[in-house]
Amino acid sequence: MDIFGAAFFALLTIGTIGAGVGVVLANRITTSALLMAFTFLNVAGMFVLLGAETVAMFQVLIYVGAITVLILYGVMFTPQSPRPYGLFFQTQKYWAALFVVPIAIFVAVVAFEFRDSAAAGGSGGDLVPLATSIFGDFAFPFEVASVLLLAAMVGAIVLVKRDEE
Amino acid sequence: MAVPLGAFIAVSAVLFFIGTAGVLVRRNAVVILMSVELMLNATNLALVAFSRRFASIDERGSVFVVFIFVVAAAEVAVGLAIILSAYRNRPTVDVDEIRQMKG
Amino acid sequence: MPVGPFGIDPTIWAPLRLVIAVLLGVALVFNGALAQIYLERKIQAIIQDRLGPIHTGPWGLLQTFADAIKLLGKEDIRARLTDKWFFLAAPSIVFSPMLASYVVIPFAPDIVGADLSVGLLYLTTLGSMTVLGIVIAGWASNNKYSLIGGLRSAGQLISYEVPQILSLVTVVLVVGTLSMVGIAESQPGWQMNFLILPLAFVTYFIAGLAETNRNPFDLPEAESELVAGFLTEYSGMRWAIFFLAEYGEVTVVSAIVTTLWFGAWHGPFVEVFPLLGVLWFTLKTYFFVLVFMWIRATLPRLRIDQLMSLCWKVLIPLTLANLTITAVLLLAFPTTVVPVAIANWILLALFVLALPYFQRRRLVALRERLRTAAA
Amino acid sequence: MIQNVWVIPALPLAAFLINGLFGRRWLHRWTGIIASAAVGLSALLAIGVFFEVQGGGHESTTVTLYEWIGVGDFHVSVAALVDPLSSVMLLVVTVVSFLIFVYSNAYMEHDHGFYRFFTWLSLFVFAMLILVMADNYLLMFVGWEGVGLCSYLLIGFWFERPEPYVAAKKAFVMNRIGDWGYTIGMITTFLVFGSMQFTEVFEHVDIATEANLTLICLAFFLGATGKSAQLPLHSWLPDAMEGPTPVSALIHAATMVTAGVYLVARSMPLFEAAGPSLAVVGAVGAVTAIFAATIALVQFDIKRVMAYSTVSQLGYMFLALGVGAPVAAIFHLATHAFFKALLFLGSGSVIHGLGGEQDMRKMGGLRRKLPVTYWTMLLAGGALAALPPLAGFWSKDEIVAAAFLGGYPVLWAIGILTAVLTAFYVTRAMWLTFHGEPRDHHLYDHAHESPAVMTLPLIALAVGTAVLGIAIGFPPEAGFIHRFLGPVFEHEGAAEHAVEAATIITLAAVSVAAGVLGILVGLSMYVRHRPDPAAVSRAAGPFYRLLVNKYFVDELYDRRIVDALRAAFGAMWAFDIHIIDGLANRLGWLAAVGGSGLRRAQTGIVGNYALTIVAGLLVILVAYGGYAAGIFTR
């Protein structure tokens, strides 16, 4: 079982990283949108690997089911004439490199140095503890989150509503 | 399933930086939005990894992930709304060309 | 050697069970689809007082095989400007989640692919993935009608997901567990959940109709509307896969209905011959498939805005009310389910009676508006 | 009666409000009657209060109306101190004002500002009464400012012509300089004694050091000189003659100018404790007296002569205070109020009769034309020249005697010399206006006696000047007024120098002789022209011109002080413009520059903003890294 898990993890890592890079470098936006969906699936796979099925299900339900579709809506409403490869970078790409690279190095060092090799898999399913904590200790933040969602929804609708001439 | 925690953290770090690079580099607003989603996902991964690793002590770690879902969904909705309204006012989604808010 | 079910060693039984589940799933899907197509056409014909397919084989039994061979034989056309990879990937993205959902469905007392503790959640998640497939199909065929059809059906699917999940949650509230096997076992003999939560069943059934793009809500691929919605560019086997997916989805929905509301594999003598459960299960599921077909043949198609308003203005408030009432009553009377049942039946009665009343009021208002407009 | 002593100032205040609000459109002539009636009533009440205080054993009572300011330990209340001193002042102010009000009803009859005149006049009386009755320095200061304001308004009454409002401004500025001194005195009293109430301050006089006391007294004295037109700040009074004559009579003869004397008299305990200050008061008083008297010799405008004579008489009062005879000062104040008011009103009726002509050179021989005015003014002139039976003699003689007995022979000599000069310019003025041949026949023909409303007050005042001296001051040092005012000033052992009658009589004889000498010299010069006045003035030459130009005091002020101030203000203006405004503009410029600098950061490109966020992240990480690696914590 152990090799199976490691192999599965390797597969998922390749999938996530590959798709992630694809999202950023894809020439056409629809491709990057779908690659993003694929990354989400891989991350969901990792969650399952970690034993957190509920979170994996939520991840798929929310990210793949709703957010990707929403972004696809966004993609379809905006022009995506495929640009020649080099042109779609922002003017500040060199500056970006200047800043992102050192941070990446720093964080990578910290991340990869993280020796804790104990198995990350959990014991039983995480449905019960998650449910108890959300509706127990974090009930109030949960309500606030729902208000936030409502506000965002109303805001988005108002922002985009075309005032009937 | 004995995959070390370090591996998960490494993957999430790499994913996070791909997202950041995407935000800083890509010219199309929608792609920036996607890269932000990637970054959020990376954090989710790290959170769940830690919460599962220390589940014996306090298994409530992954609650925060739920809240990140909520925020991500709200963020995409509002982000897209903004992009669309910006698009309606000037027919471009290109971040470099949207300069009306210039000081 | 520990004795598993049917005297087989559990360590071997786990993978074996998975294999059996997959086989049963595949059998149900493919044979089911063929049978369903044939049945659909026959039933629709009978209802419309005509004969239906009779020339191909006795009583037209081989008609679906003929269709299948025709479709297989068709030339595999793909328009040049379509988005190549997505055009090809779309059917599989729609089909595979449907197939994957058979893993969790409990066919018999101990025959189930994988007893996930989050079984029901798994099903809803897969349900929401088909949306992505449809949107990609609509987009990839690079034609206005399919794009709009795709977006419309995505809108429909996503909005109907909400009442669907809410009604499922009501059942989970009563039963207490998300795992399908647990739900199945919680309804011994005649203690069907249908008697406790009829309204949840009705709302889920309506949402199920919408989820599978079936009759009253089959706007996306309705012939009279946007050509064939997101299916316009598809032909041949790809088109067939979409249809297989649809029929498969119908079976999944009816399977869920049977497990959650009509005591899955419970029936006479199940304790004696566990395998008998499969028989009862299939009978019940196919009963609902027939109901799907019956509805398809009778009800007229809903316009997109009526469809949306039905979902947001009627179903969601209803399911929310149902959920809250059941939760409150369960909290109030933790031991018995009787008050919940009573409340549910009353709500169902109200819903059934209210519909015609509102219809008439809207008609009057409509006539009024017309008269004033005309005057 | 004492308890509602507040009714006395309330009446003129009511008159002021009624006249002020309704005077222009409805009341017109009625304003005069309302104002006179109000002041008349308060005069009656003042008389009542005077007798009650006199009867009630002369002790002082405080009537508090309400607590005006209560901040921390600084408590000032609107309260009246009714004691012999303030009741005498009340009496003098109200009676004289009443007579002048009646007089001005006729004098101002043809003036279109009639209602305005009476509004300000009643406000003036109200302020003067507040000043007199106040039981603490702050409330007194309110009155002090009030009278200053009214004198400004009334001097500049005929503001159509430029001279009045220039004179008014001059008067006001000079008073303000004096008030500045008063304020310093008031504040220091509070700082030193912790209270402003007279009773409290005078009880704890010993706790103050010598230096503080002198500072307080000199500051108050500066205020007094400003208000009572003593030497350094005297030049505003002669110019104040631009105002209508009743105003000069009331404000610049009887009441306001005496405020300074009242202030010093009231604060005698402070002055006595602050050794040298009394000497200063006396010296200034004497010098002013002789100085003003000399100028009066050569004045031709009848009102200017009276003005300088007032200044010199005030000098006398301060001389009396200086030598430690406050009772004499107040006595002289009272008598002077009566006969000086009479002199002014008399000259007013002369001017009225001659249709506004004030220059004595154009008058002459008016004795037959204005008999009542002539006789009343003759009586007042006699009093001013200190002829024995009249009031002036008793009060001035006491001052001179007190100066001699108090051990100030020099001041006594100055006093006697001023008495001679006073007698001389009185006879000169009387002669030029009433006797001899009329120099301007046209004027002489039109001259007519003033109507009864004007002559009656003249007669009343004449009776006052004749009777008052004997009535309240007959046995010198032991008259009614000494017994009445004595206790207010005498407390712990003021030296009761036992004086035999002989020295008093000789002193009195000497002062009478001085007066008679002055008159004889005057008569011989003007009647028999033995040394003809014109010839004398030519002979005096430069000395004469000096006197005529009032020792060039105004020019001195103008050139030295005003120009110096103008230069200083120029410098301040420059400082303000360049430094302070400069500073403000510089700040504005800084903000603008800073703003434009920052504006460049707002490129409008979303990408840049994201980049700055990441840069921030970098900084944090570096800081964290450094901290973790122990770079910062050595």
Side-chain angles (χ1 to χ4, degrees), chain D residues 47 148 207 321 436 554:
Chain D
I47 293 165
I207 62 171
L321 288 168
D554 287 338

Side-chain angles (χ1 to χ4, degrees), chain D residues 111-268:
Chain D
D111 192 305
H112 60 277
F114 185 85
Y115 86 94
R116 188 155 53 85
F117 180 79
F118 276 99
T119 324
W120 299 133
L121 222 56
S122 13
L123 179 65
F124 168 80
V125 171
F126 165 71
M128 191 62 199
L129 291 176
I130 290 288
L131 189 150
V132 166
M133 282 164 49
D135 94 324
N136 57 52
Y137 282 110
L138 192 59
L139 192 58
M140 188 175 193
F141 191 60
V142 169
W144 193 272
E145 291 299 310
V147 286
L149 169 70
C150 294
S151 91
Y152 165 78
L153 290 169
L154 287 165
I155 295 170
F157 183 71
W158 288 313
F159 49 76
E160 297 85 8
R161 284 186 293 109
E163 299 83 11
Y165 65 71
V166 165
K169 258 190 297 181
K170 182 171 178 178
F172 193 73
V173 168
M174 288 244 176
N175 277 342
R176 289 308 293 172
I177 297 170
D179 298 350
W180 174 73
Y182 182 100
T183 339
I184 291 179
M186 185 166 63
I187 293 169
T188 1
T189 39
F190 173 69
L191 290 177
V192 168
F193 296 98
S195 152
M196 289 220 186
Q197 238 177 344
F198 297 137
T199 40
E200 263 169 55
V201 169
F202 300 152
E203 273 146 25
H204 312 292
V205 170
D206 36 27
I207 62 171
T209 61
E210 185 76 22
N212 285 353
L213 271 180
T214 8
L215 169 66
I216 293 172
C217 295
L218 287 184
F220 276 137
F221 183 59
L222 177 62
T225 49
K227 195 61 79 178
S228 307
Q230 287 312 300
L231 195 53
L233 303 166
H234 71 287
S235 60
W236 64 272
L237 189 56
D239 296 349
M241 292 308 123
E242 292 296 332
T245 319
V247 167
S248 324
L250 176 63
I251 299 179
H252 303 126
T255 46
M256 189 176 100
V257 287
T258 56
V261 177
Y262 171 72
L263 167 66
V264 174
R266 176 60 82 191
S267 337
M268 272 314 276

Side-chain angles (χ1 to χ4, degrees), chain B residues 16 20 23-24 95-96 98-99 101-103, chain D residues 599 602-607 609-611 614:
Chain B
F16 186 82
T20 330
V23 166
L24 296 179
V95 161
D96 287 348
I98 303 175
R99 286 176 183 258
M101 290 294 283
K102 190 166 180 2
Chain D
R599 198 173 58 77
Q602 306 293 333
T603 55
I605 302 170
V606 171
Y609 303 150
L611 194 63
V614 170

Side-chain angles (χ1 to χ4, degrees), chain C residues 5 21 25 43 58 69 76 122 178 223 261 265 267 294 301 335 362:
Chain C
I43 290 170
I69 293 159
D76 177 6
Y122 173 76
L178 270 172
E223 288 69 22
W261 277 283
W265 30 264
W294 170 39
R301 188 169 296 122
T335 52
R362 274 236 322 281

